[in-house]
Every structure is written in C-alpha cells, then in structure tokens.
Amino acid sequence: MRTNILHPGADKLRYETRQIVEMGNRIAALGTPIGWENIGDPIAKSEQVPGWIKDFVREEEGENSTYGYSPTKGLDATREYIANERNLEGGIQITAEDILFFNGLGDAITNIYSNLHPQARIIGPNPAYPTHSSAEAAHSDSEHITYKLNPNKGWEPDLEELETKIEANPDIVGILIINPDNPTGFVYPQETLLKMVDIARRYGLMVISDEIYSNLSYEGSGMKKLGSVIGDVPGIAMRGISKEFPWPGSRCGWLEFYNRDRDESFDRYARSITEAKMLEVCSTTLPQKVLPRVMGDSRYYPYLAERTAKYAKKSKLACEILLKVPEMQMNEARGAFYITAVFAEGALTNQQKLPVSNEAQAIIEPYLADAKLDQRFVYYLLASKGICVVPLSSGFNSTLNGFRFTLLEADETKFENTMTTIAEAIKEYLAS
Ligand SMILES: Cc1ncc(COP(=O)(O)O)c(C=O)c1O
C-alpha cells in the first residue's frame, strides 16, 4: 500500500476468549475431548430454546413482511413494547423514539464508541469485558481507563478510585456499568448504582449500562436496571436477546436513551448514532417481530427463573469445590452465567506445570514465553485436562491473576466433575 492503511487503534482490538478456542481446537485434534467452559453461548452448551418460542419464530418466518427491511430505528410495535415495559417499572419514562435497534449488542457497542469524539473517554469496570474495552481503546487510540471491581468485597466497585480518576481526567465523559457483570457475575446493589449515578451527576457525565444479562439476574440478587436509578442524568441502557431467549444468532440488541432532553450534547450524540444507523439501513427484522410475543408471554419469566435457578446452584457448587483450595478466592455469581476465580497474590510462578503429552506441549510452548501467570495456568489446564477457561489478565485486561468459566453446562454431574478436576489441577500446578 502506498500509504499506511491501518487504523491507529487496530492493535487495541483483541479478544482472547476467541483466541483460546484456536488453541483448544488444536488440542482437540490430538484426540483430547475438550470441555468448552469459555464461551458464553448457551446454544453451544446445548441449552434448548423452548418449543413455544420456536413456534413464534416459525409463525413470523411464514409472513412475507418478515423478509423486508425494518425501519432504521427498529419496528415501531417492538419499540413501543419495550418502552412500555420500561415505563411499567416505574423509573424513567421513555417513548419508542428513545429506542434504537442494532444487529446484536456487539454492533451497538461498536457504534457507541465509534461515534464518540476521539478525545472523550468512557471509564469501565476492571476486569473488563473485551468488546467494550477494546472498542473504547480503539476509538481513543489509548489504553482503556478502568475502575476496579474488588474481589475482596464481593466484586463491589472501588468508588473512591472511580471518583479520583474522573476528577483527575476531564476527558472522561461517561461511566460504563455491566450489570449483571461479565466476567464476575456481580450484580450492582441499588445503593452502589445510586452512588455511581450521583458521581455522574456531580461531574456532568453520562452513565452507560450494559444490561444484556439483566433478565438473567438470580433470585434475591436485588437487580435494578439503570432506568430505575438514573433520575435526571443522561444515560444509555443496552439490552439484547442473545442470552435471554437465548438466540445469539439472531443478532438483535438495542439501546435505550434516557434524559436526552437534559443535555444538548448528549442529545446530539444520540442523534449521531441514529444517523450512522441510517447509513446502514436497519437491523434484523425477524427477531424484532418475535420479541414482543416472547417477552409478553406468561411463560417467559417463569422460564427465565428456571434457568437462573440452575446457574445459581452451579455457582454455589463451583465456590464450594474451588474454595477448598486455600489459594483461591471467589464470590458467588448473582446474575449472568459466568463466575471468576482469582489466585491469591504470589501463588503463581512461571515455573509451574501440569503433566502434558509431548504433542500438547508443542502446541502451548510457543505461547508460554510471553504468557502472563494466569495465561500460563490456563494453557496447561487446557493441554493437560482438556478444560478451556479464559485467563483474567489477557482475556479481561485485569491486573488480577485468575480465570473465568461459564455456568452453562447442562449436565450437573459433569459440571461437578469439571470443578473437581479444576480444583485438583490447581493443587497439582501450585505444588509443581
Ligand atoms: C456484557 C456483554 N455485552 C454484550 C454482548 C454482546 O452480545 P450480542 O450477542 O448481542 O452481540 C455480550 C456477549 O457475550 C456480553 O457478555
């Protein structure tokens, strides 16, 4: 190329949760069966979409209009359904005009950062979900700025650190919350959310809340959506059906803008995102047609409750088993279907090993020299036991050493066995 074609932020786009799959596939090719505890696709882990949801999809698929474009912002009836559902919760009151559909929440995430002024920064949680942190870093061509979630305090955010960083950096224009959180399974208590909204109000910021797991919060978690705490502060809630229905292949997610009328530049920013969407025409039509029928059905919330009860049970079991290893620290998940285990400081060294075949060693060897301490453990766990999890450091931009795994395994005995194998592997690795 006669001139550099690479975007300055290109090196900031990384997604270890997918990269580790490549390594897993190579280990699998050696004949080792792999337990894929890494990727958050319920369908890939054999969860069954209920027959009645599939019936709605079939019925809508039979309609000729399903094959057409939908309006840029999304189908009117669907946006009205969502606005009404939100308004019934009694917090923020919105209209269909405040809702904008995307081809999955991943697409919405790309758009909220790419339409932001390059100097304007969003501070997000750490451990960081890479789709947000990479897109934010790429838009500004700088490292993503984060506030810590503290594993010693049940993953509560460090609000002092958050405020100190905001005060010191006038480029920070927004606070990102992922609630329930990926990778920790943490659900922000209402009091914490109110304090974060208060910080945003005092410094003139917006709050962005990724709520893709909000309907997958567990019983007793106290989950509150941003709409119920936002008051008069500009905010964006992000939702989708990938995890809920679950239908990740539908590529269907949306933004809800709150309090556009309270800040002119926030309103202009929201409009610029809509205008960008116009250039792209629209989002997938079929899932939008199905959405109000599914969410409005009396079977929907009982169905979600049944699923989350299973995740909660597995989260408890995982803690029971892994916390028997004194060097491990964990907090039970309160929502979503992930949990994170953290190694005590100083527990890991770059000399530890698990027994692996020569062929498997040859696959992980090239990655070991540059591997962070938790990456090294994760590669050995994969090569030795055939269990694929995601390291916290490289996967979630964290200074903690640990790993994330999912609570999606449908077979509870298999899940328990996997947890026991991981616990035994940790002991063996630490003692090596
Ligand atoms: C926190 C969070 N936000 C957004 C997404 C993206 O979801 P979608 O399938 O709608 O693109 C994910 C997917 O794992 C996620 O975990």
Side-chain angles (χ1 to χ4, degrees), residues 8 76-77 80 135 156 178 236 258 331 340 368 382 395:
D76 294 349
E80 262 153 33
E156 277 274 350
I178 302 177
I236 302 175
Y258 302 152
N331 296 292
T340 288
L368 293 178
L382 181 60

Side-chain angles (χ1 to χ4, degrees), residues 10 151 187 206 250 269 312 343 420 426-427 429:
V187 168
M206 60 179 157
S250 66
Y269 167 63
F343 290 97
T420 307
I426 294 171
K427 284 191 223 156
Y429 187 79

Side-chain angles (χ1 to χ4, degrees), residues 347-360:
L348 296 177
T349 73
N350 61 7
Q351 300 300 315
Q352 292 153 330
K353 281 185 165 72
L354 287 172
V356 291
S357 67
N358 290 343
E359 293 92 335

Side-chain angles (χ1 to χ4, degrees), residues 205-250:
L205 314 182
M206 60 179 157
V207 180
I208 301 175
S209 182
D210 181 329
E211 297 181 347
I212 195 159
Y213 300 102
S214 57
N215 280 343
L216 293 173
S217 51
Y218 308 166
E219 199 189 337
S221 66
M223 172 71 204
K224 292 282 173 208
K225 295 193 176 111
L226 182 67
S228 66
V229 294
I230 191 72
D232 57 1
V233 172
I236 302 175
M238 316 181 79
R239 299 267 317 272
I241 64 170
S242 290
K243 318 291 177 172
E244 277 189 43
F245 278 26
W247 193 4
S250 66

Side-chain angles (χ1 to χ4, degrees), residues 11-80:
D11 287 338
K12 306 277 183 325
L13 297 170
R14 295 242 157 80
Y15 201 26
E16 166 97 34
T17 40
R18 293 279 150 83
Q19 281 162 22
I20 195 146
V21 173
E22 275 174 41
M23 195 185 281
N25 283 334
R26 292 179 61 200
I27 303 279
L30 300 176
T32 310
I34 305 291
W36 298 104
E37 314 307 333
N38 53 325
I39 282 193
D41 175 356
I43 302 294
K45 289 298 280 185
S46 307
E47 276 201 23
Q48 297 299 307
V49 178
W52 59 270
I53 295 184
K54 288 181 178 166
D55 287 343
F56 288 158
V57 174
R58 254 181 238 114
E59 282 163 31
E60 295 299 341
E61 169 269 321
E63 295 289 324
N64 207 53
S65 59
T66 300
Y67 296 80
Y69 292 124
S70 48
T72 292
K73 287 186 174 181
L75 291 174
D76 294 349
T78 308
R79 289 186 300 128
E80 262 153 33

Side-chain angles (χ1 to χ4, degrees), residues 343-401:
F343 290 97
E345 242 182 276
L348 296 177
T349 73
N350 61 7
Q351 300 300 315
Q352 292 153 330
K353 281 185 165 72
L354 287 172
V356 291
S357 67
N358 290 343
E359 293 92 335
Q361 185 72 37
I363 291 171
I364 63 169
E365 194 66 44
Y367 299 93
L368 293 178
D370 292 334
K372 306 231 170 77
L373 293 175
D374 55 355
Q375 264 180 307
R376 183 183 168 90
F377 167 75
V378 164
Y379 296 158
Y380 269 105
L381 182 70
L382 181 60
S384 177
K385 312 290 176 197
I387 297 173
C388 188
V389 298
V390 187
L392 266 196
S393 62
S394 54
F396 300 98
N397 226 328
S398 177
T399 47
L400 300 167
N401 278 302

Side-chain angles (χ1 to χ4, degrees), residues 15 40 103-107 109 129 132 178 182 210 212-213 240 242-243 248 251-253 338:
Y15 201 26
N103 293 307
L105 206 45
D107 176 32
I109 292 171
Y129 173 64
H132 280 285
I178 302 177
N182 179 3
D210 181 329
I212 195 159
Y213 300 102
S242 290
K243 318 291 177 172
R251 309 315 299 130
C252 177
Y338 309 99

